[in-house]
């Protein structure tokens, strides 16, 4: 004990509480890459802005060697195709207009494109170790060396105001109340501890760059941008490699593509992989590749677009054996006449039209004009051999419920009002996008849009669907719709004139299939109840008898028969379905609607007890996101690997027709997938390994493209290196999909998911302790440095609305959350598992980004009630919903600046966020909401709670470090993990 006291007292002396203003000093990880229980970690913030322009088109078909050396690629857009604009949210022009829009929208605005700032990760000093003796009399045996820590006694570094916090807050009536922890919560790893807001610059083949190297790269990037070329591979500043430890998915970072693709597109659970399956088993880690093929890049990435390469009728250059695409890691030999495939090693002949001589370093002389040889991500223009059907610009079909259930909630009026507001802006960016409108109740209504006045046609036979006129007469471009919006008024009139309780949703979806058949497209389905007439009529199951018991799993699965077959028919026609559901007080078979979305890779939204005054802007932002984000359809995705590796399965929303491909009726910037990798043979240590994702798709403008991402990693010689360079973001994304997929394909209850998450945590930490940790004392819980946040993230997933204990979450909403987990990107999964908590009442000035812009979002706080004060205003964001909590002692001036009410006592459940932009605080909060809403996949509720209001239990239920119902707090969870690991090792 005396030796431990001498060893760890200096380490503890420099540690600062997260409530103190000083930042903990930076330190390098220990040689064994360990992180003990008392460590802390920087938090991350996710933000980004829209990419505003289309990438230039590189025409490489007929360039001779001399032309390729002298002529830069064309950066002109095709004359017949307008450049896409993915900035669906428009900035507000003036403070007055912003104020008016906030008052009208109740807190939602269309966020302006803001420059992405990024944060640099700082870690605290080497922490003290905890002695965890099972023989101790304290809870679960958690003790500390008596000279440095006494259980149940506050440490001297802790601020005085926090020491008294437990006596005054939280309210004793709430379920989140818990006794004082046996471990100091400030001394365990928190994602939000010691957070800074500096931008991390990540080079995909070199690692993190220094500020000087980053400035040098900026100057070179400007030079290449002026010439219309991407920077050639190896032209950017070199750095001493510290290992390719990826930036956290929720960090603010910019990427320099050095040949391996950006982690925004592909992430591996391990950047250094084991040599064989036996070593992989010894880690307990999953070997998965998280793929987000169409995700949006940051405007300050290098490059900030995915370049398009056109080889004309020849098509892209590929290996003749493994069919992988040419990429920066192929090797050209014989003066450029042959190339060696990096995926399989085969020596291929270079086509004559693609041949170019080599320089003294063995590189092609035209490499600066070949983005496919310098960048990890490119779009090849597909030739006719990749055309399944004739490519056409994408078409959207709006299928809208006009029954009493929908009209009484104001659904149809909200959609019409929102489209009228936004159609002019959408038409400027996407003038040639085709839209069709279908409404349904007892019958199905079609709208002939040709000519001056729209004509309404009724189809009364909902058992045998047919189209009453040529499909060309039912479609209209957004540009034409902006000039004549009478069709929108006609839909409202129909709903008011003939209200019915029947819902012929199945017949209306059949009609949409007939309209889009043979071409493909996207259906936006709006329904307020399960179909109860016509084809696809559902017999709704009684959720109150099944929800919460051992048979509740059946509610998450589709009703057998018509709907699963219809989902497969839609997928074969390349028709993607997005569902917008509005349940009132009864179960509406969300699992069956979810089956349609899952098979066609659509997205589902649930608006429980829809209220137009509260939720209209939320609905419209979701619709706008669907129309403006990068989108493709009629896609097929395949992943290829180096020798010794292979893809065993895919996890995600797709239509499975064979074992090697994912058939995607639709794909967009918010969809993500996981490829599970297995070993076929032993691999050589220190040798590179590669994974290449190739997706053939048709973009929104009707161009057939091949999106190729190439990822490089290294084979490790020791298992310690595997843990050192593992990626928490990808591990969490893979485990999350695994447990969700297994739950959907079993009859187990939700409790089985929580048990499985605990089991995986124990398995990974036990394997690390057994094979990597040199510390033999069983009284210490050892966490791998790279995975030290994994336990709290998995705990947060078990406490999320998808899997938490109890039945407080409505069943339709719970099913919606579980389906979201199957398509969310790693960054959104992290935010969902560990919501971002901010203090708005006492914020430091916004940080200055390098491009003279400001990043207004304050540092994150640990998601625990210990940081909550009755003198403050706090906001929590889980990627879906945003909740505000107002303390009883907050000054009236602060409350007026944010909510435009007189005082905290005047706050009710109907209070909206209406910042007063004339005040500094109000303008800052408005800017924060703008940043958080940028590129948001789901626009959930924005609700305001006040202290000691019974409804604020919803706010505290998202503080996942606290005890919730029968689920442990974070510190209790670590104690439990240590106890289980100790038993396994003994």
């Amino acid at each position: 004990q005396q030796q431990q006291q001498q060893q760890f007292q200096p380490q503890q002396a420099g540690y600062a509480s997260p409530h103190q203003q000083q930042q903990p000093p930076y330190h390098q990880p220990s040689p064994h890459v360990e992180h003990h229980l008392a460590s802390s970690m920087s938090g991350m913030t996710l933000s980004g802005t829209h990419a505003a322009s289309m990438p230039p088109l590189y025409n490489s078909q007929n360039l001779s060697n001399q032309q390729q050396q002298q002529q830069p690629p064309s950066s002109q857009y095709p004359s017949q195709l307008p450049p896409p604009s993915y900035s669906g949210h428009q900035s507000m022009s003036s403070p007055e207009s912003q104020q008016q829009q906030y008052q009208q929208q109740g807190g939602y605005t269309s966020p302006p494109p803001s420059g992405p700032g990024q944060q640099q990760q700082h870690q605290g000093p080497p922490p003290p170790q905890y002695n965890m003796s099972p023989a101790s009399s304290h809870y679960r045996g958690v003790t500390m060396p008596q000279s440095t820590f006494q259980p149940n006694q506050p440490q001297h570094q802790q601020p005085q105001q926090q020491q008294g916090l437990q006596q005054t807050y939280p309210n004793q009536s709430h379920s989140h109340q818990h006794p004082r922890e046996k471990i100091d919560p400030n001394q365990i790893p928190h994602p939000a501890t010691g957070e800074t807001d500096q931008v991390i610059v990540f080079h995909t083949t070199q690692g993190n760059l220094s500020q000087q190297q980053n400035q040098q790269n900026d100057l070179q990037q400007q030079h290449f941008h002026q010439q219309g070329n991407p920077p050639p591979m190896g032209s950017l500043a070199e750095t001493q490699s510290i290992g390719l430890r990826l930036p956290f998915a929720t960090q603010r970072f910019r990427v320099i593509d050095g040949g391996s693709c950006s982690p925004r597109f592909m992430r591996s659970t391990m950047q250094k992989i084991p040599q064989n399956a036996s070593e992989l088993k010894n880690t307990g880690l999953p070997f998965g590749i998280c793929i987000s093929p169409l995700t949006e890049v940051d405007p300050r990435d290098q490059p900030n677009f995915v370049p398009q390469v056109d080889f004309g009728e020849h098509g892209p250059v590929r290996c003749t054996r493994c069919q992988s695409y040419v990429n920066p890691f192929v090797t050209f030999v014989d003066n450029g006449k042959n190339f060696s495939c990096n995926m399989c090693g085969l020596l291929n002949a270079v086509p004559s039209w693609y041949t170019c001589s080599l320089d003294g370093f063995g590189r092609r002389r035209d490499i600066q004009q070949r983005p496919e040889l310098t960048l990890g991500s490119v779009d090849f223009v597909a030739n006719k051999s990749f055309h399944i059907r004739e490519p056409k610009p994408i078409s959207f079909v709006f299928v809208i419920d006009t029954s009493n259930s929908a009209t009484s909630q104001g659904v149809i009026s909200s959609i019409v009002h929102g489209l009228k507001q936004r159609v002019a802006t959408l038409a400027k960016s996407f003038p040639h996008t085709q839209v069709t409108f279908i409404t349904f109740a007892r019958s199905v209504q079609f709208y002939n849009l040709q000519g001056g006045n729209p004509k309404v046609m009724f189809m009364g036979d909902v058992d045998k669907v047919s189209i009453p006129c040529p499909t060309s007469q039912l479609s209209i471009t957004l540009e034409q719709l902006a000039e004549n919006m009478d069709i929108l008024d006609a839909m409202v009139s129909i709903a008011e004139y003939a209200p019915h309780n029947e819902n012929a949703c199945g017949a209306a979806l059949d009609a949409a299939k007939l309209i889009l058949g043979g071409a493909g497209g996207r259906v936006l389905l709006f329904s307020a109840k399960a179909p109860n007439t016509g084809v696809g009529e559902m017999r709704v199951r009684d959720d109150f008898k099944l929800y919460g018991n051992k048979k509740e799993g059946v509610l998450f699965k589709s009703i057998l028969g018509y709907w699963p077959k219809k989902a497969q028919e839609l997928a074969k026609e390349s028709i993607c379905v997005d569902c917008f559901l509005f349940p009132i007080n009864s179960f509406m078979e969300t699992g069956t609607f979810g089956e349609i979305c899952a098979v066609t890779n659509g997205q589902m939204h649930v608006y429980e007890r829809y209220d137009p005054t509260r939720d209209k802007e939320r609905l419209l932002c979701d619709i706008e996101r669907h129309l403006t984000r990068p989108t493709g359809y009629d896609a097929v995705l395949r992943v290829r690997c180096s020798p010794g590796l292979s893809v065993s399965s895919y996890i995600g929303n797709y239509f499975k027709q064979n074992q090697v491909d994912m058939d995607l009726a639709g794909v967009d910037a918010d969809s993500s997938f996981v490829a599970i990798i297995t070993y076929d043979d032993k691999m050589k240590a220190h040798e590179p390994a590669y994974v290449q994702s190739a997706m053939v798709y048709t973009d929104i403008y009707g161009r057939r493209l091949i999106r190729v991402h190439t990822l490089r990693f290294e084979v490790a010689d020791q298992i310690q290196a595997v843990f050192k360079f593992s990626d928490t973001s990808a591990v969490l994304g893979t485990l999350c999909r695994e447990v969700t997929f297994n739950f959907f394909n079993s009859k187990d209850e939700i409790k089985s998911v929580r048990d499985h998450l605990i089991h995986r945590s124990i398995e990974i930490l036990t394997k690390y302790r057994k094979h990597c940790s040199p510390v033999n004392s069983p009284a210490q819980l050892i966490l791998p440095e790279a995975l030290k946040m994994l336990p709290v993230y998995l705990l947060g997933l078990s406490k999320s609305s998808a899997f938490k204990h109890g039945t407080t979450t409505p069943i339709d909403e719970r099913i919606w959350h579980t389906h979201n987990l199957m398509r969310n990107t790693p960054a959104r999964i992290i935010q969902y598992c560990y919501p971002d908590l901010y203090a708005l009442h006492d914020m430091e000035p916004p940080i200055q980004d390098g491009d003279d812009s400001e990043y207004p979002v304050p540092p994150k706080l640990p998601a625990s009630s210990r940081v909550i004060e009755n003198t403050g205003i706090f906001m929590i964001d889980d990627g879906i919903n945003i909740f505000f909590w107002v303390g009883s002692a907050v000054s009236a001036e602060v409350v007026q600046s944010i909510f435009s009410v007189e005082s905290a006592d005047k706050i009710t459940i109907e209070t909206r966020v209406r910042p007063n932009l004339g005040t500094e605080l109000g303008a800052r909060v408005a800017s924060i909401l703008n940043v958080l809403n940028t590129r948001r996949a789901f626009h959930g509720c924005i609700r305001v709670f006040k202290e000691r209001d019974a409804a604020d239990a919803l706010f505290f239920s998202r503080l996942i470090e606290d005890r919730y119902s029968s689920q442990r707090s974070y510190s209790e969870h670590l104690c439990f993990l240590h106890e289980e690991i100790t038993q396994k090792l003994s």
Side-chain angles (χ1 to χ4, degrees):
Q1 289 181 351
Q2 291 177 354
Q3 293 176 353
Q4 290 177 345
Q5 175 182 354
Q6 295 175 359
Q7 180 180 0
F8 295 122
Q9 275 183 342
Q11 298 173 348
Q12 214 171 12
Y15 198 87
S17 168
H19 294 277
Q20 295 173 319
Q21 297 297 325
Q22 63 187 19
Q23 294 291 339
Y26 177 79
H27 82 286
Q28 294 287 348
S30 63
H32 296 286
V33 203
E34 297 175 352
H35 197 287
H36 300 281
L37 180 60
S39 64
S40 64
M41 180 181 180
S42 299
M44 325 301 179
T45 302
L46 174 66
S47 88
T49 55
H50 293 282
S53 63
M54 179 190 295
L57 181 67
Y58 292 88
N59 193 332
S60 307
Q61 178 179 358
N62 298 316
L63 290 178
S64 64
N65 291 347
Q66 182 178 2
Q67 290 172 332
Q68 290 169 350
Q69 296 175 24
Q70 298 177 358
Q71 178 181 351
S74 171
S75 60
Q76 300 299 321
Y77 300 114
S79 58
Q80 71 276 17
L81 297 173
S85 175
Y86 298 142
S87 54
H89 302 289
Q90 304 298 321
S91 60
M92 297 174 288
S93 58
S94 64
E96 291 77 15
S97 63
Q98 294 183 32
Q99 176 71 19
Q100 182 179 4
Q101 188 170 1
Y102 261 97
Q103 293 176 352
Q104 293 175 352
Q105 299 176 358
Y108 267 114
T109 65
S110 299
S114 59
Q118 311 295 348
Q119 293 178 352
Q120 184 175 1
Q121 178 180 354
H122 283 259
Q123 298 174 339
Q129 296 180 355
Y130 282 97
N131 284 338
M132 311 185 78
S133 172
S136 172
S137 60
H138 297 296
Y139 176 78
R140 296 194 183 278
V142 180
T143 62
M144 279 289 295
Q146 295 183 1
S147 58
T148 59
F149 179 82
Q150 294 292 337
N152 294 328
Q153 297 294 330
Q155 286 188 314
H156 64 277
Q157 294 97 334
Q158 189 171 359
Q160 184 65 30
Q161 60 179 5
Q162 187 177 350
Q163 294 179 14
L165 188 60
Q166 293 289 341
Q167 301 176 3
T168 58
Y169 190 83
N171 188 349
Q172 297 290 335
S173 64
H174 291 307
S175 61
H176 60 266
Q177 172 69 18
H178 52 78
R180 187 183 299 275
E181 303 290 354
K182 307 305 179 182
I183 303 176
D184 181 8
N186 294 322
Q187 295 293 309
I188 58 180
H190 296 281
T193 302
E195 178 174 306
T196 62
D197 297 310
Q198 300 301 319
V199 177
I200 287 181
V201 181
F202 178 76
H203 194 290
T204 60
T205 57
Q206 298 175 5
N208 297 336
L209 302 184
S210 67
Q211 183 177 1
Q212 181 179 1
Q213 292 164 337
N214 180 34
Q215 293 174 352
Q216 180 181 352
N217 288 335
D218 286 340
L219 295 176
Q220 296 190 28
Q221 177 71 10
Q222 293 176 7
H223 170 71
F224 290 113
H225 181 71
Q226 292 173 357
Q227 297 181 350
N229 300 328
M233 184 176 179
S235 66
L236 300 177
E238 297 292 332
T239 181
Q240 293 182 355
S241 176
I242 60 171
L244 289 182
R245 181 174 296 172
L246 296 181
F248 218 56
T250 51
Q251 269 181 290
R252 302 174 64 224
F253 64 93
R254 56 181 298 192
V255 178
I256 298 175
D257 190 336
S260 185
C261 70
S262 166
R264 305 187 199 278
F265 294 116
M266 292 178 67
R267 280 179 174 268
S268 172
T269 54
M270 298 165 287
Q271 295 308 298
K272 290 192 175 183
I273 63 174
Q275 298 184 51
N276 51 48
S278 176
E279 290 187 5
L280 177 63
K281 184 177 180 180
N282 289 336
T283 67
L285 294 171
F287 192 177
I289 309 293
C290 295
I291 308 169
S292 305
L294 292 185
T295 194
E296 293 152 306
V297 300
D298 194 289
R300 293 188 298 182
D301 286 350
Q302 297 179 6
N304 59 1
F305 57 88
V306 177
Q308 294 178 8
V309 182
D310 188 7
F311 291 122
E313 61 181 10
H314 300 290
V317 180
R318 308 175 67 180
C319 175
T320 57
R321 180 165 63 186
C322 68
Q323 295 297 302
S324 61
Y325 294 83
V326 65
N327 60 81
F329 302 105
V330 301
T331 304
F332 288 90
V333 296
D334 301 331
N335 199 27
K337 296 180 180 180
N338 297 292
F339 75 90
S340 176
C341 175
N342 63 300
M343 303 294 292
C344 68
L346 180 68
L347 192 65
N348 295 266
V350 178
S352 58
W353 53 267
Y354 192 66
T355 302
C356 178
S357 60
L358 307 181
D359 61 14
F361 297 97
R363 300 190 307 175
R364 288 174 60 111
R365 297 184 183 275
D366 64 346
I367 193 170
Q368 293 190 17
Q369 299 165 2
R370 296 293 185 184
E372 72 275 12
L373 300 179
T374 59
L375 302 176
S377 300
V378 293
D379 265 333
F380 292 106
V381 177
N383 57 5
K384 291 186 178 180
S385 63
F386 292 93
H387 292 190
I388 302 175
R389 54 177 62 88
E390 186 64 26
K392 297 180 180 179
I394 193 171
S395 297
F396 291 92
V397 178
F398 287 77
V399 181
I400 305 173
D401 186 358
T402 57
S403 64
N404 282 341
S405 299
T407 55
S408 62
Q409 297 184 78
V411 174
I412 182 67
S413 59
S414 297
I415 296 173
V416 169
H417 179 72
L419 288 177
K420 282 184 174 181
Q421 285 183 337
R422 288 166 166 78
V423 70
T425 302
L426 294 173
K428 293 179 181 179
S429 302
F430 310 96
H432 304 295
T433 298
Q434 297 279 335
V435 293
T436 303
F437 294 94
I438 299 174
T439 56
F440 65 91
R442 176 183 294 177
S443 62
V444 179
Q445 299 89 45
F446 302 89
Y447 299 86
N448 188 329
L449 307 177
Q450 303 302 316
N453 297 321
K455 300 177 183 179
V456 184
M457 296 166 287
F458 290 79
M459 184 188 69
D461 188 356
V462 294
D463 293 313
K464 188 177 181 180
V465 180
S466 61
I467 303 298
C469 66
T471 57
S472 60
Q473 299 180 10
L474 301 176
S475 300
I476 190 174
T477 65
L478 285 176
E479 189 175 35
Q480 294 171 329
L481 181 62
E483 297 173 355
N484 183 8
M485 290 188 285
D486 293 340
I487 174 63
L488 301 177
D489 297 324
M491 289 191 296
V492 178
S493 301
I494 291 297
E496 295 176 348
Y497 175 75
H500 296 284
N501 290 324
E502 290 85 349
N503 181 299
C505 175
L509 191 58
D510 268 1
K513 175 178 174 291
L514 293 176
I515 293 174
L516 295 175
R522 201 145 192 151
V523 175
L524 275 64
L525 174 63
F526 302 82
S527 183
K529 63 190 304 183
N532 54 15
T533 186
V535 296
E537 178 182 356
M538 296 183 190
R539 296 183 60 183
V540 180
R541 294 166 287 189
D542 191 347
D543 62 308
F544 297 102
K545 292 182 179 180
L546 299 177
Y547 188 30
N549 63 31
K550 294 184 179 180
K551 297 182 179 181
E552 64 184 350
V554 300
L555 297 175
F556 291 75
K557 300 171 181 60
S558 172
I559 296 176
L560 299 179
Y562 172 84
W563 288 96
K565 294 180 181 179
K566 180 59 61 178
Q568 295 182 12
E569 292 176 5
L570 292 167
K572 290 179 180 179
E573 295 286 346
S574 296
I575 300 173
C576 178
V577 181
D578 301 310
C579 292
F580 299 77
L581 307 180
F582 306 85
I584 304 179
N585 293 313
S586 60
F587 179 48
M588 66 174 296
E589 288 294 345
T590 310
T592 302
F593 285 103
E595 178 73 9
I596 294 283
C597 296
V599 176
T600 64
N601 193 32
Q603 190 169 346
M604 183 165 58
H605 300 266
V606 173
Y607 307 86
E608 192 79 27
R609 299 180 182 87
Y610 180 80
D611 181 0
T613 61
R614 180 191 65 203
D615 301 321
K616 181 179 70 174
E617 195 62 28
R618 168 191 174 191
L619 169 63
L620 299 182
C621 287
D622 285 334
I623 296 174
E624 186 176 14
R625 175 66 178 171
H626 279 255
L627 297 177
T628 58
R629 64 190 174 187
T631 300
Y633 72 100
D634 193 12
V636 179
L637 189 149
R638 178 180 293 187
V639 176
R640 297 177 174 89
C641 304
S642 298
L645 301 176
S646 63
V647 178
S648 63
S649 62
Y650 298 103
I651 306 178
N653 292 342
Y654 69 98
F655 179 46
K656 183 177 181 180
Q657 297 193 87
N658 55 59
Q659 297 294 328
V660 296
D661 296 328
M662 286 193 292
D663 290 272
L664 305 171
V667 62
D668 53 72
D670 298 323
S671 56
S672 183
F673 316 92
V674 169
I676 302 299
I677 309 298
T678 58
Y679 283 86
D680 298 330
D681 199 358
K682 183 176 181 179
M683 307 187 70
K684 294 182 180 180
H686 306 296
E687 292 290 327
Y690 304 93
V691 169
Q692 187 178 83
S693 165
M695 183 181 71
V696 185
Y697 71 104
T698 304
D699 73 354
I700 195 171
Y701 296 102
R703 294 167 298 192
R704 195 70 173 162
L705 303 173
I706 308 171
R707 175 65 61 92
V708 176
H709 301 296
T710 305
L711 179 66
R712 178 188 184 275
F713 36 72
E714 184 180 337
V715 180
D717 59 345
Q718 295 181 344
I719 196 173
Q720 289 88 342
V722 176
F723 278 100
K724 178 178 180 180
F725 294 103
S726 56
D727 180 48
T728 302
S729 306
V731 171
L732 178 64
T734 302
L735 292 179
C736 177
R737 280 180 173 80
E738 280 186 354
V739 298
T740 306
F741 177 80
N742 293 335
F743 174 69
F744 280 144
N745 291 274
S746 68
K747 297 182 179 180
D748 297 335
E749 56 183 326
I750 296 178
K751 182 179 180 298
S752 65
V753 177
R754 298 193 294 268
D755 294 340
H756 186 73
L757 292 173
I758 294 175
H759 170 73
R760 292 308 301 267
S761 298
I762 296 173
E763 180 185 14
I764 293 173
L765 297 181
T766 302
K767 298 285 188 181
Y768 176 77
R769 179 63 180 267
K770 180 178 180 180
H771 298 286
C772 301
S773 176
V775 181
N776 297 321
S777 173
Q780 297 172 353
L781 174 62
I782 311 298
L783 302 176
E785 171 68 20
L787 299 174
K788 60 187 175 184
M789 295 303 160
L790 187 61
V792 69
Y793 287 136
L794 294 180
L795 175 65
L797 181 60
S798 68
K799 292 184 177 182
S800 67
S801 297
F803 300 127
K804 69 181 180 182
H805 178 267
T807 58
T808 56
T809 303
I811 179 62
D812 288 302
E813 188 173 335
R814 187 186 283 265
I815 296 174
W816 169 46
H817 282 265
T818 55
H819 276 275
N820 288 343
L821 294 175
M822 289 294 290
R823 80 186 313 270
N824 275 351
T825 61
R828 292 193 173 100
I829 291 177
I830 287 176
Q831 188 178 15
Y832 182 72
C833 294
Y834 194 95
D836 301 331
L837 179 65
Y838 307 98
L840 303 180
H841 57 284
D842 186 20
M843 295 184 289
E844 297 181 355
I847 67 169
Q848 299 294 322
D849 281 342
D851 55 356
D852 297 329
S853 62
E854 292 183 344
Y855 184 70
V857 181
K860 300 175 190 176
L861 299 175
S864 171
S865 60
R866 289 181 180 83
V867 303
I868 304 297
E869 304 169 351
N870 63 356
T871 58
I873 297 179
F874 297 86
M875 179 183 70
I876 193 166
D877 176 18
D878 65 0
I880 300 177
N881 300 311
I882 297 179
F883 297 148
F884 288 78
W885 186 89
V886 183
S888 58
V890 177
S891 66
E893 180 181 359
V894 173
V895 174
Q896 291 174 3
S897 297
I898 300 178
F899 307 106
S900 298
V901 296
E902 296 179 1
S903 63
D905 296 336
K906 301 296 183 180
I907 292 177
T908 65
I909 195 63
E910 302 297 330
T911 300
R912 302 289 174 260
V913 182
R914 297 183 175 90
N916 182 358
L917 301 181
T919 64
E920 181 179 356
L921 178 59
R924 176 76 178 275
V925 172
S927 298
I928 293 172
L929 290 177
N930 287 338
V931 172
L932 297 182
N933 286 331
T934 301
R935 295 181 178 176
R936 199 177 185 88
F938 301 96
H939 295 81
C941 296
I942 295 183
R943 300 185 61 180
V944 182
F945 306 101
K946 64 180 180 181
E947 184 181 1
R948 303 190 185 281
D949 188 346
D952 73 343
L954 185 60
F955 174 91
F956 288 99
S957 68
R958 299 304 289 133
L959 301 180
I960 61 95
E961 292 196 16
D962 293 347
R963 183 184 300 170
Y964 176 80
S965 185
S966 61
Q967 295 181 258
R968 306 176 187 89
S969 67
Y970 178 30
S971 57
E972 293 171 347
H973 181 64
L974 290 178
C975 294
F976 172 78
L977 293 179
H978 173 258
E979 185 178 273
E980 294 296 318
I981 293 171
T982 302
Q983 292 179 0
K984 277 184 169 293
L985 293 176
S986 61

